[in-house]
Amino acid sequence: MADWSIIYNQWVPKEQTLREALCTLGNGYIATRGAFEETLAEDDLHYPGTYLAGGYNRLTSEVAGKQIENEDLVNWPNWLPVSFRQPGEAWFHISNVEVLDFKQELDMQHGVLRRFVHFRDSKGRESKLNTRRIVSMANPHLAALEWQLTPFNWSGEVELRAALDGRVINSGVARYRALASQHLETLEQGQYDEETLYLVVQTVQSKTRMAQVARTKVYLSGQASGVLPQTKIEQGYTEHVYKLQATEGQPLRLEKSVLLYTSRDWATSEPLQDACANSIRQGTFEESLEEHKRAWQRIWNRCDLDTACNTKVQSALRLHIFHLLQSVSGHTVDLDVGVPARGWHGEAYRGHIFWDELFIFPFLNLHLPAITRELLMYRYRRLNEARSAAKAAGYKGAMFPWQSGSNGREESQVIHLNPQSGRWLPDNTFLQRHISSAVAYNVWHYYQATGDIDFLSYHGAEMLLDIAQFWSTIATINQETGRYEILHVVGPDEYHTEYPDSEEVGLNNNAYTNVMAVWVIQKALQLKEVIGDSRYQELLTKRHISPDHLTRWEDIGKRMYVPFLEDTRIIAQFDGYDQLHEFDWAKYRVKHGEAMRLDRILESEGDSVNKYKASKQADVLMLFYLFSSEELISIFQQLDYDFRPERIPENIAYYEQRTSHGSTLSKIVHAWVLARSDRKRSWTNFETALMSDLEDIQGGTTAEGIHLGAMAGTVDLVQRAYTGLEIRDNVLWLNPVLPDEMPCLNLQLRYRGHWLELKITRDKLIIKFDRGWSKEVKIGVRGEAYTFKTGDQKEFDIRR
Ligand code: BGC
């Protein structure tokens, strides 16, 4: 790894699908895995997936005698194919040659994927192949590649082909392969002019249409070859083949630029027409590359985290920012899509949207809030569906789905395959009702970072009120204790979905869920002061929220139940947690390592993880992650619980010993909650989170899609946890304590319409306040608030 690049110096077939995911190029509209141009999804080594942000389709499959409908992120036609052959011989494929030298580089600064291969074929002919590829950040509809072959010790006739391949299915995730996978049908295909091929496909159920138009130009020794291609058209596949004379040492270069348009675009007439019209307007590869580089330059100018004093951290952080902004970017605005847990980088979790937004939004809020706003609008536009879901379950307000896709319906799978046992099992993780609180939390924190009162009063407030109303109606009063409870839900820890040997699904009083519900209700009540009485009343009337409802909210805000372990000061993950068995971690770690999927392991042994005090991920600790200790203590005080800050470390230690980190989100939370109390342990957790995808620590999952929550979470740890950034009482507070391993940090932040620059070392904090568009703002350093105006710069001594 270099500062700005991920470099692979060897061809290692078994790492290829992982590298493909890590080398995915995207622009917030479309993404293509880093597969080689000559490969198809022909074996488990290569999977050239192309995904459209929000491009879903539903199919019904028969599994274990049941009809199951799933909504998948569709794998669209492969626009990459390019290869060559000597007449009568097989097409070049990396697996069929002897690789003499190899280098692949993901250049994150410029958003370019490069490959160099020096190879020898079975007849002793050696060639050098250089490729470069972009998915344009300047024009979201454009993807382009340059492919150059130089004969090293031979001359002769060659055939060069460039194609569009729509014969693809969804087969990127082995576990889903028994399910229906044919999402596309071909509508139109052919040759538009001598340089141009087109292919139009449509999803069979959602009827989303995509047109791809590929323009190819071939150059011999730097000059346009003038050779006209032969066209081959098969169902779903169009190809141009150029017959050329290759000369030893003389490069044979092909440029392919592909325009992708869909029926979901705005400012469009018809996808094929628009793709063709724009294809003609395209310049050379070099010209497209220049525009693309400039677009990345603008992004990096604002979004880089410069930690030059630790290069390993530096490049991993850049990789994470890079993939985050390839998944959601300025081009995502107005697309009506959410941010997928696994990026648009593979088919894992079917491209669905989860609560991972909680980990993703903070970076965007403080850099590119227009994107957060859009992602919140994705939720707002699905409010009606969330209301219907609440109603169908017997509640009021809005109940957002645990997994969301096209229209906001619950997309969680009802059964899942345990690859370890081969059994299909019921999946009750959809009972994670806490997702709605994540939406509310994100609305509030977007507002805190931006001061966007228009959004809050128009859209955000309605979501907050509806979510509060949901919590108020799902909560029931326990007549014996006089406290409110939330029953039959699942918390963030997905290993616990029911009580051992119980017929019912769900658990009672997940502490995280209950506390979050209280927080949402309190914020929904506070909203009145923020958006004003008249708008508040307007919304209450609109949402049929009566004064009696508000009285109940207030009551819940004081009398929600939070479970504690008997005789201890530890918050219980849920009611009855103390009845569970301790788990023999040592025994299982020997065989299965650290990040164990205990649910799968134990089920395959005929046991159940539900029986044990063993969590997949941070659950109770989420409270210390999302709230400052002051905020949390104040919630507990209002609930009349005596919970003190000094108990937080005990709680952390208790759950740390009982967590397998089977979700990459978990290490983020652990790194965060330890950031001040145990900096060494915080750092080790941070380092593991940082390497989650680069080193594929979950053993094979990254190849199916990156973990965007963990990626964004690490960036946010640096941005907020290690800088002590917190927005409270209209002040942006900073209290930096940099880890010893990362003694310097430079970054920019966008706060309430202003850009500010922070330069932090162990001793010094410099805040430079750039021009902004809102009024002056207050920035607090170690307890004291200062007013900053355009052009101000202040320096603080932060020695401990
Ligand atoms: C985790 C969830 C997460 C989901 C998507 C699961 O493994 O348990 O918390 O939302 O992955 O990233």
Side-chain angles (χ1 to χ4, degrees):
M1 274 196 307
D3 272 15
W4 282 105
S5 295
I6 306 294
I7 299 172
Y8 302 106
N9 282 316
Q10 261 186 322
W11 162 231
V12 183
K14 69 175 178 2
E15 282 182 14
Q16 181 59 7
T17 49
L18 168 64
R19 292 181 186 184
E20 283 180 357
L22 292 173
C23 292
T24 295
L25 294 182
N27 57 19
Y29 171 79
I30 198 104
T32 294
R33 289 165 62 85
F36 299 156
E37 290 75 11
E38 70 274 12
T39 62
L40 302 172
E42 69 251 75
D43 50 32
D44 282 341
L45 296 189
H46 309 280
Y47 195 73
T50 283
Y51 306 99
L52 172 72
Y56 299 106
N57 186 62
R58 294 176 182 165
L59 290 179
T60 303
S61 316
E62 192 176 313
V63 188
K66 280 194 200 140
Q67 297 289 309
I68 306 255
E69 189 185 66
N70 282 309
E71 182 167 87
D72 283 271
L73 178 69
V74 172
N75 177 21
W76 295 86
N78 180 13
W79 62 270
L80 298 173
V82 178
S83 190
F84 86 100
R85 69 176 174 190
Q86 275 89 359
E89 297 184 28
W91 291 101
F92 160 75
H93 190 291
I94 186 132
S95 304
N96 298 338
V97 294
E98 185 188 347
V99 176
L100 304 172
D101 198 2
F102 179 93
K103 181 171 175 182
Q104 185 174 10
E105 179 182 6
L106 177 69
D107 169 350
M108 301 180 285
Q109 187 171 19
H110 305 117
V112 182
L113 182 64
R114 299 189 193 91
R115 174 169 62 132
F116 165 72
V117 199
H118 180 180
F119 60 90
R120 182 159 49 217
D121 67 19
S122 57
K123 297 198 170 149
R125 288 169 299 207
E126 285 181 34
S127 312
K128 290 184 176 180
L129 178 67
N130 287 282
T131 65
R132 291 192 290 171
R133 181 191 304 175
I134 60 170
V135 170
S136 175
M137 202 42 110
N139 173 0
H141 300 283
L142 173 68
L145 64 85
E146 183 197 58
W147 183 101
Q148 177 171 300
L149 181 85
T150 311
F152 187 67
N153 60 358
W154 58 275
S155 298
E157 216 182 309
V158 292
E159 292 173 0
L160 237 171
R161 77 171 171 195
L164 293 173
D165 187 359
R167 301 166 303 185
V168 296
I169 56 164
N170 272 50
S171 61
V173 175
R175 295 185 298 292
Y176 305 161
R177 285 191 193 141
L179 305 169
S181 55
Q182 183 69 56
H183 292 281
L184 295 177
E185 58 186 350
T186 302
L187 298 185
E188 293 176 67
Q189 59 188 129
Q191 169 173 309
Y192 178 69
D193 60 32
E194 277 152 3
E195 289 181 341
T196 315
L197 295 169
Y198 66 86
L199 179 64
V200 183
V201 296
Q202 179 170 278
T203 50
V204 291
Q205 173 271 332
S206 58
K207 305 288 181 211
T208 304
R209 189 183 285 202
M210 178 188 280
Q212 292 189 0
V213 168
R215 180 171 296 273
T216 309
K217 291 181 193 283
V218 175
Y219 302 84
L220 265 174
S221 311
Q223 302 297 315
S225 75
V227 175
L228 293 182
Q230 287 171 358
T231 310
K232 183 168 121 188
I233 299 180
E234 286 172 7
Q235 184 59 22
Y237 178 84
T238 58
E239 174 186 276
H240 268 159
V241 175
Y242 299 81
K243 290 192 183 298
L244 302 152
Q245 200 58 38
T247 312
E248 184 177 319
Q250 298 296 316
L252 215 161
R253 191 165 68 85
L254 179 148
E255 284 188 7
K256 184 180 184 186
S257 63
V258 181
L259 274 295
L260 304 101
Y261 279 78
T262 80
S263 51
R264 299 179 69 234
D265 294 338
W266 31 265
T268 179
S269 162
E270 190 279 327
L272 180 59
Q273 275 179 26
D274 284 307
C276 290
N278 282 291
S279 165
I280 295 165
R281 296 172 185 154
Q282 270 326 299
T284 60
F285 178 82
E286 209 56 55
E287 285 162 347
S288 302
L289 177 64
E290 275 317 303
E291 284 293 314
H292 168 71
K293 277 184 181 173
R294 277 199 286 270
W296 268 111
Q297 189 59 52
R298 288 191 294 274
I299 292 178
W300 285 118
N301 280 348
R302 296 300 189 185
C303 297
D304 191 23
L305 290 185
D306 176 358
T307 59
C309 39
N310 186 327
T311 42
K312 187 177 168 203
V313 169
Q314 176 69 88
S315 46
L317 285 175
R318 283 188 175 142
L319 181 77
H320 293 182
I321 297 170
F322 181 70
H323 281 307
L324 174 62
L325 298 176
Q326 292 201 114
S327 303
V328 284
S329 74
H331 301 305
T332 308
V333 175
D334 289 343
L335 282 187
D336 186 32
V337 298
V339 58
R342 305 298 288 274
W344 311 115
H345 293 55
E347 290 155 22
Y349 289 136
R350 304 189 163 84
H352 293 167
I353 322 299
F354 294 66
W355 75 322
D356 303 45
E357 290 175 332
L358 263 184
F359 299 79
I360 294 170
F361 282 15
F363 181 75
L364 298 174
N365 281 342
L366 290 166
H367 285 88
L368 301 164
I371 300 177
T372 326
R373 189 183 206 276
E374 172 65 21
L375 297 173
L376 289 170
M377 285 305 294
Y378 165 84
R379 295 296 191 177
Y380 180 78
R381 296 186 198 106
R382 284 150 187 82
L383 200 45
N384 268 336
E385 192 63 33
R387 286 173 185 147
S388 305
K391 194 168 171 198
Y395 313 121
K396 290 194 167 67
M399 181 173 89
F400 280 90
W402 173 239
Q403 295 189 29
S404 185
S406 62
N407 66 355
R409 187 186 79 168
E410 177 60 78
E411 298 299 346
S412 295
Q413 54 190 356
V414 284
I415 53 173
H416 69 249
L417 178 70
N418 178 0
Q420 234 146 320
S421 67
R423 277 189 285 272
W424 288 90
L425 306 160
D427 190 334
N428 295 316
T429 51
F430 73 94
L431 284 170
Q432 289 182 76
R433 303 298 182 210
H434 63 84
I435 174 77
S436 294
S437 296
V439 175
Y441 185 94
N442 285 331
V443 166
W444 187 254
H445 285 269
Y446 164 77
Y447 169 66
Q448 289 301 317
T450 58
D452 184 351
I453 188 75
D454 284 341
F455 173 81
L456 184 68
S457 70
Y458 207 82
H459 302 107
E462 202 173 328
M463 288 196 268
L464 264 172
L465 291 174
D466 259 334
I467 296 167
Q469 182 70 326
F470 163 67
W471 286 124
S472 156
T473 53
I474 194 177
T476 49
I477 187 98
N478 179 326
Q479 297 299 350
E480 264 174 48
T481 60
R483 283 202 177 260
Y484 287 90
E485 303 189 323
I486 299 176
L487 310 178
H488 308 300
V489 296
V490 169
D493 164 25
E494 296 193 333
Y495 284 174
H496 291 96
T497 54
E498 61 201 38
Y499 289 105
D501 307 321
S502 163
E503 294 293 297
E504 288 182 354
V505 293
L507 302 158
N508 299 334
N509 294 311
N510 168 256
Y512 171 74
T513 305
N514 289 17
V515 173
M516 286 304 279
V518 170
W519 180 86
V520 172
I521 285 174
Q522 287 176 353
K523 283 291 170 256
L525 287 166
Q526 255 179 44
L527 253 186
K528 188 169 159 181
E529 292 148 39
V530 188
I531 63 169
D533 192 37
S534 66
R535 177 64 182 150
Y536 196 69
Q537 293 306 331
E538 210 171 84
L539 285 172
L540 293 183
T541 314
K542 178 178 178 190
R543 296 308 310 134
H544 309 285
I545 299 171
S546 68
D548 285 351
H549 288 135
L550 295 186
T551 309
R552 184 177 164 92
W553 291 13
E554 276 168 13
D555 201 33
I556 295 175
K558 288 185 210 131
R559 291 201 289 144
M560 176 65 87
Y561 166 67
V562 181
F564 284 84
L565 297 186
E566 222 175 310
D567 299 331
T568 75
R569 288 119 54 107
I570 307 293
I571 302 171
Q573 196 172 300
F574 47 81
D575 258 356
Y577 183 84
D578 33 7
Q579 309 300 314
L580 306 182
H581 302 295
E582 289 291 355
F583 183 70
D584 188 347
W585 293 95
K587 176 175 145 198
Y588 278 81
R589 276 196 177 121
V590 172
K591 193 158 162 214
H592 301 281
E594 278 297 320
M596 295 179 280
R597 282 299 302 261
L598 282 183
D599 52 341
R600 293 180 179 166
I601 297 170
L602 292 178
E603 193 277 331
S604 71
E605 293 175 354
D607 200 348
S608 164
V609 72
N610 274 303
K611 291 188 193 161
Y612 300 96
K613 288 178 181 159
S615 302
K616 177 179 179 186
Q617 63 203 98
D619 190 304
V620 168
L621 300 198
M622 283 299 299
L623 295 173
F624 313 131
Y625 172 64
L626 294 181
F627 301 113
S628 65
S629 67
E630 293 82 12
E631 251 181 308
L632 194 62
I633 300 304
S634 132
I635 297 177
F636 276 109
Q637 270 167 2
Q638 285 167 50
L639 293 175
D640 200 20
Y641 283 109
D642 176 24
F643 188 76
R644 301 191 203 143
E646 55 273 21
R647 297 191 184 159
I648 295 176
E650 299 166 46
N651 276 263
I652 297 173
Y654 181 86
Y655 286 104
E656 219 186 350
Q657 290 157 22
R658 292 169 176 81
T659 304
S660 80
H661 304 290
S663 158
T664 52
L665 300 175
S666 193
K667 287 276 174 185
I668 301 287
V669 181
H670 282 251
W672 188 287
V673 299
L674 292 166
R676 299 281 151 145
S677 57
D678 189 334
R679 294 166 62 212
K680 279 274 163 271
R681 264 180 28 251
S682 169
W683 186 259
T684 27
N685 279 293
F686 170 73
E687 273 191 315
T688 314
L690 203 59
M691 290 299 130
S692 297
D693 281 321
L694 268 167
E695 290 176 0
D696 190 19
I697 59 166
Q698 303 273 341
T701 61
T702 300
E704 302 169 345
I706 54 159
H707 298 82
L708 210 49
M711 284 196 167
T714 52
V715 174
D716 185 41
L717 261 157
V718 172
Q719 170 189 263
R720 289 193 303 144
Y722 296 141
T723 61
L725 191 159
E726 197 194 336
I727 302 168
R728 192 169 17 93
D729 307 327
N730 288 318
V731 179
L732 177 86
W733 293 100
L734 295 167
N735 182 8
V737 182
L738 294 184
D740 292 340
E741 299 79 355
M742 196 191 73
C744 71
L745 172 66
N746 296 335
L747 74 157
Q748 292 196 37
L749 292 176
R750 187 165 174 82
Y751 173 61
R752 301 204 174 169
H754 296 268
W755 279 107
L756 39 139
E757 202 179 311
L758 307 185
K759 285 186 192 301
I760 312 174
T761 58
R762 278 209 203 98
D763 307 337
K764 218 190 276 171
L765 163 67
I766 300 174
I767 306 176
K768 202 167 147 200
F769 200 78
D770 197 359
R771 209 189 124 67
W773 291 272
S774 72
K775 287 183 292 193
E776 58 197 26
V777 295
K778 287 214 160 96
I779 301 177
V781 179
R782 295 203 165 167
E784 189 155 350
Y786 306 84
T787 302
F788 275 78
K789 293 198 281 299
T790 299
D792 281 355
Q793 173 164 331
K794 287 191 174 46
E795 205 174 300
F796 301 88
D797 185 342
I798 53 167
R799 268 173 294 193
R800 308 218 104 205

